[in-house]
Amino acid sequence: MYDQPRPNPPLTAMTFDQMLERVRYEGAYPTRERAEEAVRNVLAAFGRQVTGDERVDLAQSLPVEAALTLTSQTPDTERLTGWSFVKDLAARTGGTPATARWDTGAVLAVAAHLAGPDLLARILHRLPDGYALLFGQAELRRRQPAA
């Protein structure tokens, strides 16, 4: 089972250094170290929210160092909305919600590129409302089940 190809191969192979440079550019961070701090904080927090095959597939699409950060966290039993995710990240890092939102957008934009549109759609489908905006995507209303 493990040697079967996944349905969502990464769009572009990227090293961790390349990922950091891309996040540094996206977030307009002054140093590589600041970009790395954002990557580690956001991916650790996101690793507590994403589960199942989507978690595994996302980890496979990321550079090894980023994947280890994502998967080092045990998923939380409480699912946070996108805004709650940002507030939780701010509280954990000692920053402001505005800074946490900025960091999240910069990191998850790069993660979305690496994951590709199919995997990103699967991830967003499994998460509560508010995450699409964090990935730089339009937040579409979910269909309500027929009563």
Side-chain angles (χ1 to χ4, degrees):
M1 180 160 189
Y2 291 107
D3 52 304
Q4 294 177 354
R6 292 279 183 180
N8 285 301
L11 294 178
T12 307
M14 189 180 284
T15 67
F16 189 61
D17 287 336
Q18 290 169 327
M19 181 181 187
L20 292 179
E21 285 305 312
R22 183 95 182 252
V23 169
R24 183 177 177 191
Y25 176 80
E26 291 286 334
Y29 296 115
T31 64
R32 182 182 182 280
E33 290 76 22
R34 178 62 186 96
E36 184 172 357
E37 178 185 0
V39 166
R40 293 194 186 280
N41 288 338
V42 171
L43 290 180
F46 195 63
R48 290 187 287 276
Q49 295 300 309
V50 67
T51 60
D53 289 341
E54 289 75 22
R55 178 184 172 101
V56 172
D57 291 346
L58 178 59
Q60 287 181 335
S61 68
L62 297 173
V64 172
E65 297 89 338
L68 291 173
T69 300
L70 177 84
T71 59
S72 69
Q73 301 299 310
T74 303
D76 284 342
T77 55
E78 178 187 357
R79 305 306 297 253
L80 301 174
T81 64
W83 178 237
S84 295
F85 173 83
V86 170
K87 291 190 300 186
D88 182 67
L89 178 61
R92 287 176 187 269
T93 61
T96 66
T99 303
R101 171 61 181 95
W102 185 269
D103 291 349
T104 300
V107 173
L108 293 185
V110 176
H113 171 75
L114 291 170
D118 293 341
L119 176 55
L120 180 58
R122 288 178 30 223
I123 290 169
L124 292 175
H125 180 74
R126 301 267 318 252
L127 292 170
D129 289 339
Y131 282 89
L133 294 173
L134 300 179
F135 278 97
Q137 305 290 311
E139 181 75 42
L140 302 176
R141 296 185 75 162
R142 294 185 184 186
R143 280 190 177 170
Q144 299 299 322

